[in-house]
Every structure is written in structure tokens, then in C-alpha cells.
Amino acid sequence: MREKSAICIAGGGSTFTPGIVLMLVENQDRFPISKITLYDNNAERQDKLAEACAIMLKEKAPEIEFNWTTDPETAFTGIDFVMAHIRVGLYAMRELDEKIPLKYGVVGQETCGPGGMAYGMRSIGPVIEILDYMEKYSPNAWMLNYSNPAAIVAEATRRLRPGHRIINICDMPVGLETNMCSIIKDETGRELTRNDMEIRYYGLNHFGWWTQIQDKEGNDLMPILKKHISEMGYANNSPEFQHRDPSWVETYTKAKDVYALDPETVPNTYLKYYLYPDFVVEHSDPNYTRANEVMDGREKTVFGQAKAIVENGTSKGNEFAVGVHASFIVDLACALKFNTHERMLLIVPNEGAIENFDPTAMVEIPCLVGSNGPEPLKIGDIPTFQRGLMTEQVCVEKLVVEAWIEHSYQKMWQAITLSKTVPSGKVAKQILDELIEANKDFWPELK
């Protein structure tokens, strides 16, 4: 009988929370749960989802103790894992992150370019705060952080809390690997899951490349994927893809042009924002961005489902969806709890894994995960093209963190200017000044 774990979900008011709770319930055979506690500083928002989750848990897993709170001591005492996915400023601030840069003809995106930096400046303090709460009240717990923008948050935790029990993760490669399985099914009729594939990958968060994808028998899957991606990007016939929002359909399709720049690898879709920023701006609606899609889509859907569950007193007929990232979190928690040495893509200090790259950079690479945490696998040298792009981007991330630590206007201006998405220092300053005004309730005062 496997030992049960007590979980705190930080960001209890997130639209992803019900899916994570449901995933934990559905995976109790491999990851048994004794207690789930939701924590958020927005009580009203959390209450709406927590009440629905309480009903769902009573029906599906009444043996699990479930509660929710805004009190840190209550939330973080006696737990084994913190699963953190906070959004500081909610979608209202994401909307500004996207729309302010677009006013100046610059990519407006949640984690890339000036919008991602703005979000990072809001996120650093609260993520550090959650880590400190965990270590104060449950010092042996692990924090599994998938709060965006993951690259900036990871660099901040490396600088400010080195060696602490936090692992920064992202579901984007997992989602793309699931998508690859759909492509393989389209092209060959063969059904695989991402766990049937062995991969080699390197990069930064939302900024990487697959160099090897094969099945468990060692058969090379790259030729099938490369041919498909060169013609259609990541578009495929799966129901999941067919029901994606228009912005995601465009992103997946544009991957064919990203792939064309280096046909030796298979790219992460987010590279389009850096390699084709002019295309992105031309195809963006400055009055209706991805944030609006989410607010009109997932936000309304999840809170509508929660309301219906509470009103009906049952979750039957209103099942929450389980997201890709939820399963990845359970995989990681199992590896840490039960020392499985599972191979996973994580964001970790480079420390020589990529030999010809900054050893202090937070890179996204395969790791073996056991009870002592992640053990990064060796990548070796990487090509000049990728190294050049990654060097520029990692310097942007480091400058943002330095700007937050030092309250430095100069370094934040430098960070935005250095971004491949921004054409000049003049434009960078215009965007920065407007972002400062929009974020005055969230950022440290820059001097």
C-alpha cells in the first residue's frame, strides 16, 4: 500500500484547479491522497470553485479530506506537495500585457516579449512568498511550480532561493508531445501516448527544440513528424485540435515556418513569437487578444460548470475537464514521492548539461526524477543558431529578475530592448512606461 500524500493547490481560484483536483482523484491508484487544500488570496473567486470541488470529491472520493482557505498557516501546514499555478492580476492584467505592446506594433503575448516580462515582474514576489510559506510550515514538502512565465520565475527562484525544494515545470512540451501522437496516428494509424516516446530536447522554457523522438523499441519517429510539420505544422485531425481556439490553430499551423529555419530539429510552437514577430503582429487583433478568448471561453465555461454543480448539488452531468498539465504534475509528484527515476522535461540550472551555454541559465531539458529531485541529463554542445537565440533570451530573463531585485528602471528598459520581439530602445521605453503605469499595484517601484 503506497503512502498517501497531503496536497496544497496554490491558486485555488484558477480555472485549472478543478481539472487538477479531478486528475488527483482519478490517479489515486498510483498516487494516493489523504488531503487536498486549496489556497488563494482571492476568497470570492476560490469559493466558487471550491464549493463545486467539494461536491465532486464527496461523490468521487469521500475519503479525501478537502478544505479551502486564505490563511497561509492553515494551507501549508502538514503537507507533502504544493502545486502552484497562480496568476497575479488575473486575466484583466493579462489583457493589458497583450494589448499594450500591440499598440506599438510589438508582439502581445502572455509569456513572450514585453507582456511576458510584465507578468514576470508581477509573479516573482508571490511565488517566493508561497515557497517561504511552504518551507516555514512544511519544510520537507516539495513545491511543483507551473506558474507562468515559468522561465522568469525559475530564474528568480534560482537567484533568490537557491537549492530550495522547488521544481519549475511547464506543460507546453507535454501538450505538443501529445499532439505528436495524434500526428503519428493520422500518418500511420498507430496509436501512441507521450509516455510511449523517448525524447531528447533542449532549450529554455517556451523556447526549445526536439532533437530525437523514438518509440520504446528504438524506432525513429522524427521522419514522420518532420514530413507532417513541414507541410501542416502541428495541425492534425484529433478532436482536441479541431476544438482549439483560433489563436492556437494559427500557432500550431505556423510551426511549419518555424521548422523551416532548422529542419534538423522539431520546434516548440512559441518560437514563432521570436522568429516571426511581424507575422504575429499582423495577425493579431489589438482589440481582442488571447486573454479575451480565454475570458469568453474557458473562464466562463469553468465557472459556469461550478455554478451548475453547486446549484444542482451534484457534479453528474457537469464533469470538469482534465488538462494535459494535470497528468504531468501527477507524474512528477509520483517520481518524487516513490523514487521512480522517471524521465521528464524540467526547468533546471544548466550547470554544464549544455556544454557550450551559460552554466547559470535555467534550461528546459530531460531529467531523471527521484526522491532527491531532478538529475539533468547531458546534452553536450548545441548549434550556433540555437545558442545565439538562447543567449539573447536568457539575458532578457536575467535582466528582468535583476530589475525586480534592484528596483531598476534601467535594467527593465534593457530587458525589453534586448528582446527579439522589440525593434528599438525607443519603442521599448514607450512600452515600459505604459506597463509601469498599468502595473503600479503589482510591481516594485522602479528607479
Side-chain angles (χ1 to χ4, degrees):
M1 186 73 176
R2 286 188 156 186
E3 182 184 358
K4 293 184 177 182
S5 295
I7 308 295
C8 172
I9 299 176
S14 166
T15 54
F16 292 109
T17 292
I20 291 167
V21 172
L22 184 57
M23 172 58 72
L24 291 170
V25 169
E26 291 180 350
N27 281 270
Q28 284 211 88
D29 57 332
R30 65 189 182 111
F31 187 64
I33 303 293
S34 61
K35 179 176 74 170
I36 299 174
T37 302
L38 306 188
Y39 170 76
D40 206 302
N41 60 7
N42 186 327
E44 181 183 1
R45 185 179 172 92
Q46 178 171 252
D47 286 349
K48 294 174 182 177
L49 297 182
E51 289 170 6
C53 287
I55 292 169
M56 178 179 71
L57 277 166
K58 189 175 180 180
E59 292 174 342
K60 294 180 178 293
E63 72 281 3
I64 295 177
E65 179 187 341
F66 179 72
N67 53 74
W68 61 97
T69 183
T70 58
D71 175 60
E73 184 174 2
T74 302
F76 296 98
T77 298
I79 57 166
D80 300 296
F81 293 96
V82 174
M83 298 179 176
H85 56 157
I86 63 171
R87 180 177 292 281
V88 183
L90 303 175
Y91 287 109
M93 290 307 300
R94 175 176 177 174
E95 184 178 11
L96 294 176
D97 292 342
E98 294 169 353
K99 291 183 176 179
I100 289 172
L102 281 170
K103 283 175 57 177
Y104 300 94
V106 170
V107 168
Q109 209 278 330
E110 173 192 21
T111 63
C112 305
M117 297 181 225
Y119 188 12
M121 289 285 282
R122 292 197 303 274
S123 299
I124 292 170
V127 168
I128 295 294
E129 181 182 68
I130 290 169
L131 179 57
D132 289 347
Y133 284 146
M134 181 192 80
E135 296 197 330
K136 178 179 180 180
Y137 297 114
S138 293
N140 294 319
W142 280 98
M143 180 171 168
L144 313 183
N145 179 60
Y146 41 103
S147 304
N148 272 324
I152 291 171
V153 169
E155 170 62 15
T157 58
R158 183 194 71 84
R159 282 284 306 274
L160 297 168
R161 298 294 184 272
H164 288 227
R165 290 168 70 88
I166 177 170
I167 299 179
N168 293 285
I169 60 176
C170 177
D171 67 322
M172 188 63 203
V174 175
L176 282 174
E177 287 167 15
T178 301
N179 194 80
M180 290 172 192
C181 294
S182 297
I183 291 173
I184 290 166
K185 183 179 179 182
D186 287 350
E187 298 291 342
T188 70
R190 184 182 178 192
E191 294 205 24
L192 296 173
T193 70
R194 66 176 182 86
N195 291 324
D196 296 323
M197 300 192 301
E198 292 186 351
I199 64 98
R200 297 286 288 176
Y201 178 99
Y202 68 85
L204 312 173
N205 180 240
H206 288 182
F207 204 100
W209 297 262
W210 282 267
T211 59
Q212 176 184 299
I213 304 168
Q214 59 185 30
D215 64 19
K216 296 293 187 182
E217 289 75 46
N219 298 307
D220 187 4
L221 302 175
M222 289 284 273
I224 298 167
L225 293 168
K226 285 180 176 181
K227 182 177 184 299
H228 182 101
I229 293 167
S230 70
E231 297 169 354
M232 300 175 60
Y234 285 105
N236 63 81
N237 295 321
S238 69
E240 292 80 9
F241 179 78
Q242 299 302 321
H243 290 94
R244 282 193 174 275
D245 290 334
S247 63
W248 273 114
V249 171
E250 181 180 271
T251 294
Y252 273 41
T253 304
K254 188 63 178 175
K256 67 181 180 181
D257 294 326
V258 178
Y259 167 80
L261 274 162
D262 181 19
E264 297 301 311
T265 62
V266 169
N268 190 304
T269 52
Y270 276 77
L271 288 163
K272 81 164 189 177
Y273 296 108
Y274 302 96
L275 301 176
Y276 295 96
D278 49 350
F279 171 90
V280 172
V281 173
E282 288 167 10
H283 290 78
S284 296
D285 182 346
N287 300 309
Y288 193 86
T289 62
R290 175 65 186 156
N292 299 113
E293 278 188 352
V294 175
M295 287 188 281
D296 290 342
R298 187 176 68 238
E299 181 98 343
K300 288 183 178 178
T301 298
V302 172
F303 278 92
Q305 285 177 304
K307 183 180 179 183
I309 288 169
V310 173
E311 288 177 350
N312 296 333
T314 179
S315 64
K316 293 173 183 174
N318 275 296
E319 294 287 340
F320 290 114
V322 175
V324 168
H325 69 298
S327 62
F328 186 56
I329 295 159
V330 172
D331 291 342
L332 178 56
C334 280
L336 292 164
K337 181 81 172 183
F338 304 117
N339 200 34
T340 64
H341 298 286
E342 180 153 356
R343 184 166 166 165
M344 307 187 74
L345 273 181
L346 302 175
I347 305 165
V348 294
N350 182 30
E351 296 179 347
I354 301 174
E355 292 183 359
N356 59 341
F357 193 60
D358 182 349
T360 70
M362 294 297 288
V363 294
E364 193 166 41
I365 56 176
C367 302
L368 297 179
V369 186
S371 55
N372 293 323
E375 179 185 340
L377 300 180
K378 195 123 180 123
I379 301 297
D381 287 345
I382 60 174
T384 302
F385 177 65
Q386 279 85 357
R387 181 162 58 94
L389 289 168
M390 287 168 59
T391 297
E392 179 180 65
Q393 181 60 19
V394 86
C395 288
V396 170
E397 293 159 5
K398 287 178 177 293
L399 282 166
V400 172
V401 174
E402 289 172 12
W404 188 90
I405 292 170
E406 300 169 20
H407 295 198
S408 171
Y409 179 98
Q410 194 76 35
K411 288 196 171 178
M412 195 62 186
W413 184 14
Q414 291 173 349
I416 297 175
T417 302
L418 186 60
S419 173
K420 196 168 174 59
T421 66
V422 179
S424 72
K426 176 185 175 182
V427 173
K429 191 175 191 303
Q430 291 172 326
I431 294 171
L432 174 57
D433 289 343
E434 192 160 343
L435 287 174
I436 288 172
E437 179 62 27
N439 284 276
K440 59 188 176 184
D441 294 334
F442 302 99
W443 287 13
E445 184 179 355
L446 302 184
K447 299 172 184 176

